[in-house]
Amino acid sequence: MRIVIQRVLRASVSIDGATHSTIGPGLLVLVGVETGDTEADARWLADKTAALRIFPDDNGVMNRSVTDAGGELMAVSQFTLTASTRKGNRPSYIRAAAPDTSLPLYSDYCRILAERTGYPVATGVFGADMKVELVNDGPVTIIIDSRLRE
């Protein structure tokens, strides 16, 4: 699994012109699931997301987690994170897991993240054509791949 974590002042997801979900200051996480990913990947990424210290402390040093900062959470499925651009200019999504695999793992990630932080996780709608709006704070953007474990 591959995620993009963005520290945001606010974020929202709209579908067909209607707002589906919104958050205030916190984390917007884009989630991509690849063939071969398991619940262990979802768990590792949720644990990492919950503990990641990317919010400023009283001295302005990024030393607090989303839980420490009282931030809100949003996770949006995004299969394009699995894109390969190795050949040519048209991305290939052959590594993307099929919906019968990716939807449960995306749901696992959201559930585990909520358990770890004690906060609800706002979501988009899996497979929908969504409009995601955000104000990146910092900007702070972190990319984590569960296969690399870095």
Side-chain angles (χ1 to χ4, degrees), residues 7-150:
R7 190 178 77 190
V8 298
L9 294 177
R10 65 180 177 274
S12 65
V13 172
S14 298
I15 301 168
D16 295 328
T19 301
H20 175 74
S21 58
T22 62
I23 63 168
L27 297 178
L28 167 64
V29 184
L30 305 175
V31 181
V33 181
E34 293 183 325
T35 301
D37 288 338
T38 67
E39 185 180 345
D41 293 291
R43 184 171 304 284
W44 186 83
L45 286 170
D47 289 344
K48 190 64 121 172
T49 303
L52 201 61
R53 298 185 318 173
I54 59 173
F55 288 86
D57 62 17
D58 293 337
N59 296 317
V61 177
M62 286 196 285
N63 202 26
R64 298 187 321 159
S65 69
V66 66
T67 307
D68 298 335
E72 297 182 55
L73 299 159
M74 178 182 284
V76 176
S77 63
Q78 188 173 354
F79 79 93
T80 60
L81 291 179
T82 68
S84 172
T85 58
R86 184 170 294 165
K87 291 182 176 179
N89 294 319
R90 183 176 182 176
S92 168
Y93 303 106
I94 196 155
R95 296 188 308 211
D100 63 335
T101 299
S102 54
L103 177 55
L105 289 177
Y106 164 69
S107 296
D108 286 344
Y109 172 82
C110 294
R111 176 184 51 78
I112 296 164
L113 182 58
E115 289 170 2
R116 295 296 183 266
T117 62
Y119 297 134
V121 176
T123 63
V125 174
F126 186 88
D129 181 12
M130 298 174 275
K131 306 302 180 226
V132 179
E133 188 173 351
L134 66 124
V135 175
N136 195 313
D137 181 22
V140 175
T141 302
I142 310 287
I143 302 169
I144 304 175
D145 189 316
S146 63
R147 294 182 186 193
L148 299 176
R149 303 281 170 138
E150 57 180 21

